Structures are given as C-alpha cells and as structure tokens.
C-alpha cells in the first residue's frame, strides 16, 4: 500500500468493526471487517502506510477507541450524526463508506474527547447522577403504585420508613404489597449509596485546578462544580463565551432571508433584525441543567446576581427570558474565572462578559 494520505471510516459494533479506506482521489482501496478488540485493530492500522485520518461515530466504545487509536494515527475524529437525513439503503459497509467519504471532504464535525486524566471524575459523576436518577425513578414508581389504586400520596410520607406500615395496609392486593416492599428496599439501598457517591465525586473534583475558581462563584456548589469539571474538562476548548453558550443550550437561534438588496448597483444589507427561534436544541443537557438551576436559585435569593436579574426585569424583560439571560451571564463569568484562575467579584457583572 502506497505512502499517501488515507481516510478511514469505521462502523463500530460490539463484536465487529467494518472498515472503509479511501485515498485522496476518493477511490475506496480497501474494505475489511475487524473484531472490535485492541490487538486486531492496532494490527490493522499499523499495516497502513502514509498519513492516516480516522472517523467513527459517537457511541459506547467511542472513548476507548479514541484513546486506542490516537497514538498510532495522524488524526481521530469522533462525530455525532444523529438527526441527519439519510437516503438510500443502510448497512454497515455503506455507513463505513459514507464516513470515509465525508472525512475526506471535511464534512464531519468532531465531538470533543479529552485525555484520560479526567476519566476518573467522569465515572464518579456518572455514578452519582445514575444514583440520583434511579432514586427519582423509584420514588415516582412508588407514588404511581398508590395513585393507580385511587390512594392519594401527598408530600414525602410514602417514602419514610416509619410510615411504611400504614401505607402498606392501604394496599389490599398481595402483589401490590410485594411490589411496594421491593421498591422501598431499592430506595433504601440507593439512599445509602447517595452520600458515598457524592463524597467520592467531590473529593476527586477538589483535585482539579479549576475547582477554586468555580467554587468562588455564588450558587455553584460542590456538586454543580464537579459536574461542570467532569463534563467540560477544560475551558480552553471554548474560544469565547458564545461557544460555551451553544454547548450549554443557551445560544439564541435566529433565522433570516433576503438579507441583501441592490441599491445604486451595490449590495446593501437590510436593517431588519433576524427572527429569533428560541435556544439551540443540540446541546449538553448536564451543563444546561447546572447553569439553569444555578440561575433559578440566584434569581430567588438576595445577592448581586439577584440585583442584576431584577434590573433586567425592571427594564421590561420578561422573567423567563431574564432567567435565561442570567444563566448566560453566569456561564460567561464561570468561563472567564476558570480561564484566568480568578475568584468571583461582583464587578464581573458589569464587565465585558455581559
């Protein structure tokens, strides 16, 4: 095989990976099926000559495969193509061919995959979030069990161990009583794991160099900062605050058409403002949840952030939009503090991060 630039598309599955290799001209020069295992994959890529560019879609094995191939090829692109319109037949080989072609044409946008240094914090935050989500799911199932039998469940009493005998007596069916006992047992286990997972996550997050700067900001507590550090990993992946807004789902989507008219033989841009269409939908849900929750808390509690929020409302902005604006402000300030290693000061509310 010649020493030329090659573009490799991988369609990755649990047992096998379909490989499509193209050269600069666009011609497919090799197709293969390789086991999704470390040794066969490394052996295949070490057999290729020239500058190798690799692309595959985001998925369960994406981080592992990214870390495996980065040392042996020139460039690795992990892309997210969910939501794209596709025509024609679909198959593993067709998907691999399309990936290699789009890689050659430069039509793929990379999903950020950092180094392995932050993997421990990532796994700990995932464990914490899974426990929280599972606890909420079990609590909702418990209330649904009683509501399905016309038994109202106001407040938190149905979850309390001291009141369970009373609630269980309201269930006449033996199967329902067994299901309730199983859900209560599951909830007890999750409640025991919750503080352990939180402690381990926060302890690991404290080692991160961005911890002092982010925790100095009001309403970014230990849990929210740990989630930000694990998800964002580094502030330098965002060139400006607008890049972070788009990643966090806080970027305003606009639509315009017929922007230019010809006057005296010269193109002139029309002065009408573009129409807004809400916030961008393609975003990281964890980051958006953190900043929206922090902004909601900041708008309801005394402090400089609440004063800034009330100033927006006083100037005529609606409260929901003012909270979104506050979330954007807090995201911009957090990015600035993290990059510069500074501590929060109320002066940041009137600085260029507005």
């Amino acid at each position: 095989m010649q020493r030329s630039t090659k573009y490799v598309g991988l369609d990755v599955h649990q047992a096998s990976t379909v490989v499509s290799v193209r050269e600069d001209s666009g011609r497919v020069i090799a197709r293969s099926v390789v086991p999704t295992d470390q040794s066969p994959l490394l052996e295949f890529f070490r057999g290729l000559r020239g500058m190798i560019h690799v692309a595959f879609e985001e998925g369960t094995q994406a981080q592992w495969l990214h870390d495996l191939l980065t040392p042996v090829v020139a460039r690795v692109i992990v892309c997210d193509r969910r939501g794209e319109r596709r025509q024609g037949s679909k198959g593993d080989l067709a998907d691999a061919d399309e990936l290699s072609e789009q890689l050659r044409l430069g039509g793929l946008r990379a999903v950020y995959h950092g180094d392995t240094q932050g993997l421990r914090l990532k796994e700990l935050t995932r464990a914490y979030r899974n426990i929280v989500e599972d606890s909420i799911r079990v609590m909702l199932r418990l209330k649904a069990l009683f509501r399905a039998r016309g038994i109202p469940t106001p407040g938190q009493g149905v979850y309390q161990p001291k009141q369970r005998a009373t609630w269980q007596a309201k269930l006449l069916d033996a199967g329902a009583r067994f299901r309730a006992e199983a859900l209560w047992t599951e909830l007890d286990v999750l409640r025991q794991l919750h503080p352990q997972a939180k402690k381990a996550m926060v302890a690991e997050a404290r080692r991160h160099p961005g911890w002092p700067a982010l925790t100095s900001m009001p309403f970014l507590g230990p849990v929210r900062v740990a989630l930000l550090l694990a998800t964002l990993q580094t502030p330098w992946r965002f060139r400006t605050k607008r890049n972070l807004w788009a990643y966090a789902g806080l970027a305003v989507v606009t639509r315009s058409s017929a922007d230019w008219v010809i006057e005296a033989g010269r193109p002139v841009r029309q002065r009408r403002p573009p129409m807004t269409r809400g916030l961008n939908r393609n975003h990281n849900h964890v980051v958006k949840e953190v900043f929206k929750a922090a902004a909601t808390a900041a708008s309801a509690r005394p402090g400089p952030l609440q004063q800034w929020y009330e100033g927006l409302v006083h100037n005529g902005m609606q409260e929901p939009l003012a909270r979104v604006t506050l979330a954007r402000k807090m995201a911009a300030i957090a990015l600035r503090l993290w990059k510069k290693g500074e501590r929060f000061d109320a002066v940041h509310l009137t600085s260029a991060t507005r």
Side-chain angles (χ1 to χ4, degrees), residues 123-180:
E123 294 299 334
L124 291 174
T125 55
R126 285 171 182 165
Y128 173 80
R129 294 185 67 245
N130 288 342
I131 291 172
V132 172
E133 292 169 359
D134 292 344
S135 299
I136 296 173
R137 186 175 292 112
V138 171
M139 295 166 74
L140 292 176
R141 286 175 178 171
L142 265 171
K143 285 206 169 186
L145 176 65
F146 287 93
R147 285 200 309 271
R149 289 154 179 81
I151 304 172
T153 56
Q156 305 289 321
V158 69
Y159 310 129
Q160 304 305 322
K162 294 181 180 180
Q163 302 182 29
R164 289 177 183 176
T166 304
W167 285 101
Q168 192 177 31
K170 298 181 180 182
L171 298 173
L172 303 180
D173 180 36
R177 288 197 298 269
F178 176 83
R179 185 182 171 197

Coordinates of all heavy atoms in Angstrom, one line a residue, residues 123-180:
E123 N -16.3 9.2 35.5 CA -17.0 7.9 36.0 C -17.7 8.2 37.3 O -18.8 7.7 37.6 CB -16.0 6.8 36.1 CG -15.5 6.3 34.8 CD -16.6 5.8 33.8 OE1 -17.6 5.4 34.3 OE2 -16.3 5.9 32.6
L124 N -17.1 8.9 38.2 CA -17.7 9.2 39.5 C -18.9 10.1 39.4 O -19.9 9.9 40.1 CB -16.7 9.9 40.4 CG -15.5 9.0 40.9 CD1 -14.5 9.8 41.7 CD2 -16.0 7.9 41.8
T125 N -18.9 11.1 38.5 CA -20.1 11.9 38.3 C -21.2 11.1 37.6 O -22.4 11.3 37.9 CB -19.8 13.1 37.4 OG1 -19.1 12.7 36.2 CG2 -18.8 14.0 38.1
R126 N -20.8 10.2 36.7 CA -21.9 9.3 36.1 C -22.5 8.4 37.2 O -23.7 8.2 37.2 CB -21.2 8.4 35.0 CG -20.9 9.2 33.8 CD -20.1 8.3 32.8 NE -19.8 9.1 31.6 CZ -18.9 8.7 30.7 NH1 -18.2 7.5 31.0 NH2 -18.6 9.4 29.6
A127 N -21.7 7.9 38.1 CA -22.2 7.1 39.2 C -23.2 7.9 40.1 O -24.3 7.4 40.4 CB -21.1 6.5 40.0
Y128 N -22.8 9.1 40.4 CA -23.6 10.0 41.2 C -25.0 10.3 40.5 O -26.0 10.2 41.1 CB -22.9 11.3 41.6 CG -23.7 12.3 42.3 CD1 -24.0 12.2 43.6 CD2 -24.3 13.3 41.6 CE1 -24.8 13.1 44.3 CE2 -25.1 14.3 42.2 CZ -25.3 14.2 43.6 OH -26.1 15.1 44.2
R129 N -24.9 10.7 39.2 CA -26.1 11.0 38.5 C -27.0 9.8 38.3 O -28.2 9.9 38.4 CB -25.7 11.6 37.2 CG -25.0 13.0 37.3 CD -24.8 13.6 35.9 NE -26.1 14.0 35.3 CZ -26.5 13.4 34.1 NH1 -25.8 12.5 33.5 NH2 -27.7 13.8 33.6
N130 N -26.4 8.6 38.1 CA -27.2 7.4 37.9 C -28.0 7.1 39.2 O -29.1 6.7 39.2 CB -26.3 6.2 37.6 CG -25.8 6.3 36.1 OD1 -26.4 7.1 35.3 ND2 -24.8 5.6 35.8
I131 N -27.3 7.3 40.4 CA -28.0 7.0 41.7 C -29.1 8.0 41.9 O -30.2 7.6 42.3 CB -26.9 7.1 42.8 CG1 -26.0 5.9 42.7 CG2 -27.6 7.1 44.2 CD1 -24.8 5.9 43.7
V132 N -28.9 9.3 41.6 CA -29.9 10.3 41.7 C -31.1 10.0 40.8 O -32.3 10.0 41.2 CB -29.4 11.7 41.5 CG1 -30.5 12.7 41.4 CG2 -28.3 12.1 42.5
E133 N -30.8 9.7 39.6 CA -31.9 9.4 38.6 C -32.7 8.1 39.0 O -33.9 8.1 38.9 CB -31.3 9.3 37.2 CG -30.7 10.5 36.6 CD -29.9 10.3 35.4 OE1 -29.8 9.1 35.0 OE2 -29.4 11.3 34.8
D134 N -31.9 7.1 39.4 CA -32.6 5.9 39.8 C -33.5 6.1 41.1 O -34.6 5.5 41.2 CB -31.6 4.8 40.1 CG -30.9 4.3 38.8 OD1 -31.4 4.6 37.8 OD2 -29.9 3.6 39.0
S135 N -33.0 6.9 42.0 CA -33.8 7.2 43.2 C -35.1 8.0 42.8 O -36.2 7.6 43.3 CB -33.0 8.1 44.2 OG -31.8 7.5 44.6
I136 N -35.0 8.9 41.9 CA -36.2 9.6 41.5 C -37.2 8.7 40.8 O -38.4 8.7 41.0 CB -35.8 10.8 40.6 CG1 -35.0 11.8 41.3 CG2 -37.0 11.4 39.9 CD1 -34.4 12.9 40.5
R137 N -36.6 7.8 40.0 CA -37.5 6.8 39.2 C -38.2 5.9 40.2 O -39.4 5.7 40.1 CB -36.6 6.0 38.3 CG -37.4 5.1 37.4 CD -36.5 4.4 36.4 NE -36.0 5.4 35.4 CZ -34.7 5.7 35.3 NH1 -33.8 5.2 36.2 NH2 -34.3 6.6 34.4
V138 N -37.5 5.4 41.2 CA -38.2 4.5 42.2 C -39.2 5.3 43.0 O -40.3 4.8 43.3 CB -37.1 4.0 43.2 CG1 -37.8 3.2 44.3 CG2 -36.2 3.0 42.4
M139 N -39.0 6.5 43.4 CA -39.9 7.3 44.1 C -41.2 7.6 43.3 O -42.3 7.5 43.8 CB -39.3 8.7 44.6 CG -38.2 8.5 45.6 SD -37.1 9.9 45.8 CE -38.2 11.0 46.7
L140 N -41.0 7.9 42.0 CA -42.2 8.1 41.1 C -43.0 6.8 41.0 O -44.2 6.8 40.9 CB -41.7 8.6 39.7 CG -41.1 10.0 39.7 CD1 -40.6 10.3 38.3 CD2 -42.1 11.0 40.1
R141 N -42.3 5.7 40.9 CA -43.0 4.4 40.8 C -43.8 4.1 42.0 O -44.9 3.5 41.9 CB -42.0 3.3 40.5 CG -41.4 3.3 39.1 CD -40.3 2.2 38.9 NE -39.8 2.2 37.5 CZ -38.8 1.5 37.1 NH1 -38.1 0.8 38.0 NH2 -38.4 1.5 35.9
L142 N -43.2 4.4 43.2 CA -44.0 4.2 44.4 C -45.3 5.0 44.4 O -46.4 4.5 44.8 CB -43.1 4.6 45.6 CG -42.3 3.5 46.3 CD1 -41.3 4.1 47.3 CD2 -43.2 2.5 46.9
K143 N -45.2 6.3 44.1 CA -46.4 7.1 44.1 C -47.4 6.6 43.0 O -48.6 6.6 43.2 CB -46.0 8.5 43.9 CG -45.4 9.2 45.1 CD -45.7 10.7 45.1 CE -45.3 11.3 46.4 NZ -45.6 12.8 46.5
A144 N -46.9 6.2 41.9 CA -47.7 5.7 40.8 C -48.5 4.4 41.3 O -49.6 4.2 40.9 CB -47.0 5.4 39.6
L145 N -47.8 3.6 42.1 CA -48.4 2.4 42.6 C -49.7 2.7 43.4 O -50.7 2.0 43.3 CB -47.4 1.6 43.4 CG -47.9 0.3 44.1 CD1 -48.2 -0.7 43.1 CD2 -46.8 -0.2 45.0
F146 N -49.6 3.7 44.3 CA -50.7 4.0 45.1 C -51.8 4.8 44.3 O -53.0 4.6 44.5 CB -50.3 4.9 46.3 CG -49.5 4.0 47.3 CD1 -48.2 3.9 47.3 CD2 -50.2 3.4 48.3 CE1 -47.5 3.2 48.2 CE2 -49.6 2.6 49.3 CZ -48.2 2.5 49.3
R147 N -51.3 5.7 43.4 CA -52.3 6.5 42.6 C -53.1 5.6 41.7 O -54.3 5.9 41.5 CB -51.6 7.6 41.8 CG -51.1 8.8 42.6 CD -50.8 9.9 41.7 NE -50.0 9.6 40.5 CZ -48.7 9.6 40.5 NH1 -48.0 10.0 41.5 NH2 -48.0 9.3 39.4
A148 N -52.5 4.5 41.2 CA -53.3 3.6 40.4 C -54.4 2.9 41.1 O -55.3 2.4 40.4 CB -52.3 2.5 39.8
R149 N -54.4 3.0 42.4 CA -55.5 2.4 43.2 C -56.3 3.4 43.9 O -57.0 3.1 44.9 CB -54.9 1.4 44.2 CG -54.4 0.1 43.5 CD -53.2 -0.5 44.3 NE -52.8 -1.7 43.6 CZ -52.0 -1.7 42.5 NH1 -51.5 -0.6 42.1 NH2 -51.6 -2.8 41.9
G150 N -56.2 4.7 43.4 CA -57.0 5.7 44.0 C -56.6 6.2 45.3 O -57.4 6.8 46.1
I151 N -55.4 6.0 45.7 CA -54.9 6.4 47.0 C -54.0 7.6 46.8 O -52.9 7.5 46.2 CB -54.1 5.2 47.7 CG1 -54.9 4.0 47.8 CG2 -53.6 5.6 49.1 CD1 -54.1 2.7 48.2
P152 N -54.4 8.8 47.3 CA -53.5 10.0 47.2 C -52.3 9.8 48.0 O -52.3 9.3 49.1 CB -54.4 11.1 47.7 CG -55.4 10.4 48.6 CD -55.6 9.0 48.1
T153 N -51.2 10.4 47.5 CA -49.9 10.3 48.2 C -49.3 11.7 48.3 O -48.2 12.0 47.6 CB -48.9 9.4 47.4 OG1 -48.8 9.8 46.1 CG2 -49.4 7.9 47.5
P154 N -49.8 12.6 49.0 CA -49.2 14.0 49.1 C -47.9 13.9 50.0 O -47.7 13.1 50.9 CB -50.3 14.7 49.9 CG -51.0 13.7 50.7 CD -51.0 12.4 49.9
G155 N -47.0 14.9 49.6 CA -45.8 15.0 50.4 C -44.8 13.9 50.3 O -44.9 13.2 49.3
Q156 N -44.0 13.7 51.3 CA -42.9 12.7 51.3 C -43.2 11.5 52.2 O -42.3 10.7 52.4 CB -41.6 13.4 51.7 CG -41.3 14.6 50.9 CD -40.8 14.3 49.4 OE1 -40.2 13.3 49.2 NE2 -41.3 15.1 48.5
G157 N -44.4 11.5 52.8 CA -44.7 10.5 53.8 C -44.5 9.0 53.3 O -44.1 8.1 54.0
V158 N -44.9 8.8 52.0 CA -44.9 7.5 51.5 C -43.5 6.9 51.4 O -43.3 5.7 51.4 CB -45.5 7.5 50.1 CG1 -44.7 8.2 49.1 CG2 -45.8 6.0 49.6
Y159 N -42.4 7.8 51.5 CA -41.1 7.3 51.4 C -40.4 7.0 52.8 O -39.4 6.4 52.8 CB -40.2 8.3 50.7 CG -40.8 8.8 49.3 CD1 -40.9 10.2 49.1 CD2 -41.2 7.9 48.4 CE1 -41.4 10.6 47.9 CE2 -41.7 8.3 47.2 CZ -41.8 9.7 46.9 OH -42.3 10.1 45.7
Q160 N -41.1 7.5 53.8 CA -40.5 7.5 55.2 C -40.6 6.1 55.8 O -41.7 5.5 55.7 CB -41.1 8.5 56.1 CG -41.1 9.9 55.6 CD -39.6 10.4 55.2 OE1 -38.7 10.0 56.0 NE2 -39.5 11.1 54.2
P161 N -39.5 5.5 56.3 CA -39.6 4.1 56.9 C -40.6 4.0 58.0 O -41.3 3.0 58.1 CB -38.2 3.9 57.4 CG -37.3 4.8 56.6 CD -38.1 6.0 56.3
K162 N -40.8 5.1 58.8 CA -41.7 5.0 60.0 C -43.2 4.9 59.5 O -44.0 4.4 60.3 CB -41.5 6.2 60.9 CG -40.1 6.2 61.5 CD -40.0 7.4 62.5 CE -38.6 7.4 63.1 NZ -38.5 8.6 64.0
Q163 N -43.5 5.3 58.3 CA -44.9 5.3 57.9 C -45.2 4.2 56.9 O -46.3 4.1 56.4 CB -45.2 6.7 57.2 CG -45.0 7.9 58.1 CD -45.4 9.2 57.4 OE1 -46.2 9.2 56.5 NE2 -44.7 10.3 57.8
R164 N -44.2 3.4 56.6 CA -44.5 2.4 55.6 C -45.5 1.3 55.9 O -46.3 0.9 55.1 CB -43.1 1.7 55.2 CG -42.2 2.6 54.5 CD -40.9 1.9 54.2 NE -39.9 2.9 53.6 CZ -38.7 2.6 53.3 NH1 -38.2 1.4 53.6 NH2 -37.9 3.5 52.7
A165 N -45.6 1.0 57.2 CA -46.6 0.0 57.6 C -48.0 0.6 57.4 O -48.9 -0.2 56.9 CB -46.4 -0.3 59.1
T166 N -48.2 1.9 57.6 CA -49.5 2.5 57.4 C -49.9 2.5 55.9 O -51.0 2.2 55.5 CB -49.5 3.9 57.9 OG1 -49.2 3.9 59.3 CG2 -50.9 4.6 57.8
W167 N -48.9 2.8 55.1 CA -49.1 2.9 53.7 C -49.3 1.4 53.1 O -50.1 1.3 52.2 CB -47.9 3.5 53.0 CG -47.9 5.0 53.1 CD1 -47.1 5.7 54.0 CD2 -48.7 5.9 52.4 NE1 -47.4 7.1 53.9 CE2 -48.4 7.2 52.9 CE3 -49.7 5.8 51.5 CZ2 -49.0 8.4 52.5 CZ3 -50.3 7.0 51.0 CH2 -50.0 8.3 51.5
Q168 N -48.6 0.5 53.6 CA -48.7 -0.9 53.1 C -50.1 -1.4 53.5 O -50.7 -2.2 52.7 CB -47.6 -1.8 53.7 CG -47.5 -3.1 53.1 CD -46.4 -4.0 53.7 OE1 -46.1 -3.8 54.8 NE2 -45.8 -4.8 52.8
A169 N -50.7 -1.0 54.6 CA -52.0 -1.5 55.0 C -53.1 -1.0 54.0 O -54.2 -1.6 53.9 CB -52.3 -1.1 56.4
K170 N -52.8 0.0 53.3 CA -53.8 0.5 52.3 C -53.8 -0.3 51.0 O -54.8 -0.1 50.2 CB -53.5 2.0 52.0 CG -53.6 2.9 53.2 CD -53.3 4.4 52.8 CE -53.3 5.3 54.0 NZ -53.1 6.7 53.6
L171 N -52.8 -1.1 50.8 CA -52.8 -2.0 49.6 C -53.5 -3.3 50.0 O -53.0 -4.1 50.8 CB -51.4 -2.2 49.2 CG -50.6 -0.9 48.8 CD1 -49.1 -1.2 48.5 CD2 -51.2 -0.3 47.5
L172 N -54.6 -3.6 49.3 CA -55.3 -4.8 49.6 C -54.8 -6.0 48.8 O -54.9 -7.2 49.3 CB -56.8 -4.6 49.2 CG -57.5 -3.4 50.0 CD1 -58.9 -3.3 49.5 CD2 -57.3 -3.6 51.5
D173 N -54.1 -5.8 47.7 CA -53.6 -6.9 46.9 C -52.2 -7.3 47.3 O -51.3 -6.5 47.6 CB -53.5 -6.4 45.4 CG -53.0 -7.5 44.5 OD1 -53.3 -8.7 44.7 OD2 -52.3 -7.2 43.5
A174 N -52.0 -8.6 47.5 CA -50.7 -9.1 47.9 C -49.6 -8.8 47.0 O -48.4 -8.5 47.3 CB -50.8 -10.6 48.2
G175 N -49.9 -8.8 45.6 CA -48.9 -8.5 44.7 C -48.4 -7.1 44.7 O -47.2 -6.7 44.6
A176 N -49.4 -6.2 45.0 CA -49.1 -4.7 45.1 C -48.2 -4.5 46.4 O -47.3 -3.7 46.4 CB -50.3 -3.9 45.2
R177 N -48.5 -5.2 47.5 CA -47.8 -5.1 48.7 C -46.3 -5.5 48.5 O -45.4 -4.9 49.0 CB -48.4 -5.8 49.9 CG -49.7 -5.2 50.4 CD -50.1 -5.8 51.7 NE -50.3 -7.2 51.7 CZ -51.5 -7.7 51.4 NH1 -52.6 -7.0 51.2 NH2 -51.7 -9.0 51.4
F178 N -46.2 -6.7 47.8 CA -44.8 -7.1 47.5 C -44.0 -6.1 46.6 O -42.8 -5.9 46.9 CB -44.9 -8.5 46.8 CG -43.5 -9.0 46.4 CD1 -42.7 -9.7 47.3 CD2 -43.0 -8.8 45.1 CE1 -41.5 -10.2 46.9 CE2 -41.8 -9.3 44.7 CZ -41.0 -10.0 45.6
R179 N -44.7 -5.6 45.6 CA -44.0 -4.6 44.8 C -43.6 -3.4 45.6 O -42.5 -2.8 45.4 CB -45.0 -4.2 43.6 CG -44.3 -3.3 42.6 CD -45.3 -2.9 41.5 NE -44.8 -1.9 40.7 CZ -45.5 -1.1 39.9 NH1 -46.8 -1.3 39.8 NH2 -44.9 -0.2 39.1
A180 N -44.5 -2.9 46.5 CA -44.1 -1.7 47.3 C -42.9 -2.0 48.2 O -42.0 -1.2 48.3 CB -45.4 -1.3 48.1

